[in-house]
Amino acid sequence: MKITPVKGTADYLPAEVLVRDYLQSTILETYRSCGFERITTPIIEDIENLDKSEGGENLNLIFKIMKRGEKLEEAASSGNLKELADMGLRYDLTLPLTRYYANNRAKLPSPFKVIQIDKVYRAERPQKGRMREFVQCDIDIIGSDSYTAEVELIGTTAKALLNIGFDNFNIRINDRRLLKAIIMSAGFAEDDCDSVCISLDKLDKIDVAGVREELVEKGFDAANTDKLMANIAIKPFTLETAASICGELDCISNLRRIMELANTASHGKYSVIYDMTLVRGQGYYTGTVFEISSPEFRGAIGGGGRYDNLIGKFLGESIPAVGFSIGFERIAGILLDKNYKLPGKKPRMALIYDEETFPAALGHADELRHEYDVTLFEAPKKLGKLFARLEESGYDCCMVEGKDEIKHLGEKV
Amino acid sequence: MKITPVKGTADYLPAEVLVRDYLQSTILETYRSCGFERITTPIIEDIENLDKSEGGENLNLIFKIMKRGEKLEEAASSGNLKELADMGLRYDLTLPLTRYYANNRAKLPSPFKVIQIDKVYRAERPQKGRMREFVQCDIDIIGSDSYTAEVELIGTTAKALLNIGFDNFNIRINDRRLLKAIIMSAGFAEDDCDSVCISLDKLDKIDVAGVREELVEKGFDAANTDKLMANIAIKPFTLETAASICGELDCISNLRRIMELANTASHGKYSVIYDMTLVRGQGYYTGTVFEISSPEFRGAIGGGGRYDNLIGKFLGESIPAVGFSIGFERIAGILLDKNYKLPGKKPRMALIYDEETFPAALGHADELRHEYDVTLFEAPKKLGKLFARLEESGYDCCMVEGKDEIKHLGEKV
């Protein structure tokens, strides 16, 4: 039998779970204090819903659950491998949210400000930092097409990060429509914008020269490409720069309002910055997109955007929606690596008993629990060895039942 | 596309999630204050580990995850359906705990007092009260063969129930070895005990006469059966009754000590009662078994026991262990049906803004959040209608930005 967890998943040790639980509950409480409401959906979804969803690459990473009993035998005899599964594990929280909203809409407020903190599954090729089972923390506002939704999402997400002690970050923002306008102003056709965006998304990896080369290799006109690259090279590229290229578009004044309000609300603790090169991978974004980045780490630690056509899919109508997701595993990993100190935790005490003092220790422990998290330990032959082990395991102090004195076990990490 | 969740699973509404989260975190904090430590394991386990585990009937209820890519094609061409899956969803938290302990033992204290609060999956035929995805709350003590472990588990579990406001319950206790001794004292062979126990487990459904009939139908000697039934009919059947039938066995004095200490610790809030007919289904129990029952409800709302041969399985050695599980879905359902009042929650306020007052409302909301959970709402044309909807959605009060007065929305459930 195999004692390790399956590839790409983890057994978490008690000290890790303590930090992960604290982070999740602090994020959840922050979201709730800002008027968002948590829902939960099953980890399992209908396979057709998953297969037909707009998950892009993720559709190739679905863990599929086999049919059972007679239905499995029927499916197997059909010879069609696609028939074998009837359900799958969700690869994100957006498809379940879409289905949930359609299923429960009559019971939900509008706009619906919703929290999802839950596990998702992707059959990724396992590699460092890529898990097959991981937690996402999402907030979404469904049913509002106003810029106020973006302002609230940015403020609430930033507050959650600050509350867990993650304070060195900025939020970059862009609008798909503006990026598209800039690309088209260089002479590209509307239909080419998606392909150009996919290349632009690699700017931080292959730089302007690399992106230029890729675009030309893709067969795009060299003059148009050069014109686009020249615009991208402008530093700083502000909303005024964008306006001078494309004119005063609605999406520019929209971004301006969001940034102004979000930056006021930040009280200087973080900045919301326009980044004309920000793309975000998901194909379903229709307007604003945003991403959290930190000067201390490569890559995004959160992101989101507006996806006005997705939620209404099950209902056959258009419902505006915008969401912001925190990369929980990334942040938990960073904080655990930094020897994160859990705030406000009760000290841990070991109360040591022997056969005779166990009954008294039982009652005594309950009294001490007002002030300490108390674990009962049977006295071993050598107390000294136990003290050393307790200190190693993160206990703050210990006490031998029947003696009044509390022994402190030195400073804990 | 299907908008309902897959069979046997549920979409939880915000008000339900609020209660479920509160219950889970209160149970978790109680467990932690008593010196237990939480671990988490993946929802997915290796299919061989699951198939070879001691899950009894549950082995027929495993959701299996299909292999992917080439491996799936190879498996399909083998024609053997068993080859198609490489993983499965866990059906309980005991098998993962067993594997986890073997994998991480060097990093864990001994005895290890462990918490698991997590989802498990069973492909049950869907019916009222039986979910295919549900939460279990388990505590286990691994590495202690002392009766003190049972005392701690009972006290900690009872405290968790009291802390969530579930206070009308008792705990019945038995010992597999004692029940076996009573059965054998009626003339049954040791090998027949399991089969007799399976019938005895139905006492609450088919009564003494029904069990007698079933035993005789199974081919057991009628005289032995009558002798056993006569013993079972003794009321009250105390530990003294047991001792008079089987002699002063070690397991009787063990039960006596557990009950004495557990009943002292209960301060009269619940009783721990010897029930000579208590069986508990799982085949892996080796000693004490216990079950929580409430006069208000049929069936068990929690249970557990000692399983000294299971944990060591992966390690090839014998490691004593005992666990206690709370039936979370059962309890959450009972409390939600009772219109459970969430204690200590901040009141919910709706802060209403218009286009002009949004920037001020944004800052104002943050101030109010020290005292309230504040949701921002854009003012609709008819304020009165909004007030009615807010009250319906569980808001306690609301305020229009720019006006100082807080409007209370009537008593909430």
Side-chain angles (χ1 to χ4, degrees), chain A residues 11 100 113 159 366 376, chain B residues 12 99 113 159 366 376:
Chain A
D11 282 345
Y100 180 98
K113 302 183 183 181
K159 191 184 275 208
D366 271 346
L376 289 162
Chain B
Y12 289 105
R99 185 195 54 66
K113 301 182 181 180
K159 193 185 276 207
D366 271 345
L376 289 162

Side-chain angles (χ1 to χ4, degrees), chain A residues 327-399:
Chain A
F328 178 79
E329 301 297 340
R330 191 85 213 280
I331 287 170
I334 289 168
L335 293 176
L336 279 165
D337 283 348
K338 276 187 166 180
N339 250 334
Y340 188 64
K341 214 179 178 123
L342 219 58
K345 222 193 128 300
K346 279 192 199 166
R348 283 177 80 192
M349 177 189 282
L351 183 62
I352 297 156
Y353 65 88
D354 57 26
E355 184 74 32
E356 219 168 279
T357 59
F358 180 70
L362 215 51
H364 191 195
D366 271 346
E367 287 164 32
L368 289 165
R369 272 169 192 144
H370 296 290
E371 207 173 327
Y372 301 90
D373 283 349
V374 181
T375 311
L376 289 162
F377 278 99
E378 193 176 356
K381 291 210 181 91
K382 291 183 182 165
L383 266 185
K385 228 173 156 182
L386 176 65
F387 292 155
R389 218 188 58 210
L390 290 172
E391 188 170 347
E392 215 178 86
S393 315
Y395 281 87
D396 298 285
C397 56
C398 66
M399 198 169 180

